[in-house]
Amino acid sequence: ALEIDTDFNVNVLTGSDGTWSASVAPGDATVSYPVMPDGYEAVTDTSRSLDLEAGDSAVFDLKVRLKDGSVTVAATDPGGPIQGVGVTVDGLDASTDEKGAARIDGLHPGWHKVSYTVPDGLRADGPDETYVPAGGTVRLTVSIKARPLSAIPTTGRVPWVLLSCLAALPLAAAALHIVMALKVMVKML
């Protein structure tokens, strides 16, 4: 809606093509756009003072754009929120905090590619693209899970999940050997 403030207020709606016209008495007037349509924001001044003589006309161009939106991410594993998951939306990066949350602002309305970075041996199950509405916030939920052993690379760096399993093997074997030795000694007595 457009407001024209003279000795009396005139409210005018813009047409579907964005133009408007109004007849006012000569004198001082202020033209303003106090309310933007949903999802839009002004990039130029939203008001202008005019001094009109009889028969004058004036042009007031208001430039608007769609508001940027945001993406929030909640990353969890079976134990709850998980910190340190990297999130990239069209080249903008964030990392989840101790609550498993991340936020990326400044996204133009439309479809965006999403990717996640997790340690080797893990995978992120979450959407790989999302639609961000003008001025809106989209919430994505990402589940972090262990990869099946067949999906873990066997060359190059050894994943930490595999290392932790391998490190426990000698201890488990030693404990089994001690238990077996104790059973043998008990039977001998």
Side-chain angles (χ1 to χ4, degrees), residues 71-147:
V71 168
T72 61
V73 176
T76 60
D77 67 7
I82 186 166
Q83 183 176 2
V85 173
V87 181
T88 302
V89 180
D90 283 348
L92 299 173
D93 299 318
S95 185
T96 57
D97 59 18
E98 66 280 353
K99 295 178 183 173
R103 181 180 180 98
I104 297 177
D105 295 314
L107 298 168
H108 296 302
W111 285 98
H112 296 273
K113 297 279 185 202
V114 182
S115 62
Y116 312 95
T117 306
V118 295
D120 286 339
L122 299 178
R123 74 172 195 268
D125 286 336
D128 59 359
E129 69 178 1
T130 189
Y131 183 81
V132 176
T137 298
V138 176
R139 181 175 167 81
L140 304 179
T141 302
V142 181
S143 179
I144 308 301
K145 300 177 181 172
R147 286 188 181 171

Side-chain angles (χ1 to χ4, degrees), residues 14-50:
T14 58
S16 61
D17 62 355
T19 61
W20 61 272
S21 65
S23 296
V24 295
D28 292 333
T30 300
V31 179
S32 63
Y33 290 89
V35 178
M36 291 293 114
D38 285 342
Y40 287 87
E41 62 187 357
V43 293
T44 58
D45 287 335
T46 59
S47 66
R48 180 174 169 201
S49 295
L50 304 172

Side-chain angles (χ1 to χ4, degrees), residues 49-73:
S49 295
L50 304 172
D51 181 20
L52 300 172
E53 303 279 332
D56 279 351
S57 64
V59 175
F60 177 37
D61 285 327
L62 174 69
K63 292 187 177 14
V64 297
R65 70 179 188 97
L66 289 169
K67 289 181 180 179
D68 287 340
S70 302
V71 168
T72 61
V73 176

